[in-house]
Amino acid sequence: VSETPPVCSDALALISVTDNCSSNITPTCEAGAVLINGCDRTQTFTLTATDECLNSSVCEVTYTWVVDDDEPVFNNCPSSPIVLGCNPVLPDCDDVMQLGITVTDGCSGTLEPECAAGTITEDGCLRTQIFTLSATDDQGNTATCEVIYNWTVDLVVPEITALMADDDLGCNPTAEAIETALGGATALDNCDG
C-alpha cells in the first residue's frame, strides 16, 4: 500500500535540541530526494541546529517505506472446471496444492496461498465443489483463485424393460421373433435418463 511520504515536520517532530548557552533553538530542515529501488523508497532529512554563537550540529533522519498497490498474481489457475468423471475419490486442499498453481508478487516475491474448501453442491447426479486459494502480500493486497471440480455420483445400474407381446417365446424362436420381442426394449438410468 502506498504510504504517505514524510515531510520536514515529521522529521522535526522526532528530535529535540538542547544547548548549554542558547535556548529555544529551532533546527532547519533540508529534504533529500526520494530514492527508488523497486518497491522500496528511502528519503533522508538533514536537520541542522545552530546556536547564537554559530556553533552547529547536524542530525540525519532517514525514512524507508514501500509503495505497492498491485495484487499478487496467480499463475496456472485453472480457467475451466476440472472434470473428475464418475464416482471419483474426492479432492481436498492437498490435491489442489499439487496442481502447480503458484503466486508471485512484484514486491513480496513468491507467496504461499491458503486454501479453503467450499461445500459440495448437488444437481441430480452432478456434484460441484469450489476450492478458493487466497494470497496476501506484505502490504495487504489480496488475490484469489477458484479451482472448480465437477463429477458424477452414480451407483445405480440401468434398468432394462423389454416390451414383449408374449413373455414366452417358446422353444427355438426365430431371430425375427427375438428381434420383434426386443425391438421395444428401453433402458432407464437414474442419472442419464
Side-chain angles (χ1 to χ4, degrees), residues 22-46:
S22 303
S23 60
N24 298 325
I25 298 174
T26 301
T28 60
C29 175
E30 182 181 338
V34 175
L35 304 178
I36 300 173
N37 182 13
C39 299
D40 298 326
R41 305 291 187 268
T42 303
Q43 186 174 23
T44 299
F45 294 83
T46 303

Side-chain angles (χ1 to χ4, degrees), residues 30-119:
E30 182 181 338
V34 175
L35 304 178
I36 300 173
N37 182 13
C39 299
D40 298 326
R41 305 291 187 268
T42 303
Q43 186 174 23
T44 299
F45 294 83
T46 303
L47 308 179
T48 304
T50 304
D51 65 16
E52 293 173 0
C53 296
L54 302 181
N55 299 306
S56 63
S57 179
V58 174
C59 170
E60 288 187 342
V61 177
T62 300
Y63 288 90
T64 61
W65 68 97
V66 173
V67 174
D68 181 7
D69 294 320
D70 296 326
E71 297 176 348
V73 175
F74 275 89
N75 307 295
N76 302 318
C77 183
S79 58
S80 57
I82 298 170
V83 180
L84 299 176
C86 291
N87 307 320
V89 174
L90 298 185
D92 58 19
C93 274
D94 289 338
D95 298 313
V96 173
M97 300 304 277
Q98 300 301 315
L99 293 175
I101 301 169
T102 60
V103 188
T104 55
D105 184 73
C107 294
S108 301
T110 301
L111 302 174
E112 188 69 29
E114 294 183 6
C115 177
T119 58

Side-chain angles (χ1 to χ4, degrees), residues 160-170 177-186:
I160 299 175
T161 304
L163 301 176
M164 300 183 198
D166 185 356
D167 290 340
D168 185 7
L169 294 178
I178 294 172
E179 185 176 333
T180 301
L182 294 178
T186 60

Side-chain angles (χ1 to χ4, degrees), residues 98-163:
Q98 300 301 315
L99 293 175
I101 301 169
T102 60
V103 188
T104 55
D105 184 73
C107 294
S108 301
T110 301
L111 302 174
E112 188 69 29
E114 294 183 6
C115 177
T119 58
I120 296 172
T121 60
E122 299 182 10
D123 182 9
C125 295
L126 301 177
R127 304 290 186 272
T128 299
Q129 187 173 22
I130 300 174
F131 291 82
T132 302
L133 299 178
S134 59
T136 304
D137 66 18
D138 293 340
Q139 283 67 51
N141 300 307
T142 301
T144 59
C145 162
E146 287 189 343
V147 178
I148 303 171
Y149 286 99
N150 290 335
W151 68 94
T152 300
V153 173
D154 184 0
L155 303 174
V156 179
V157 298
E159 179 182 323
I160 299 175
T161 304
L163 301 176

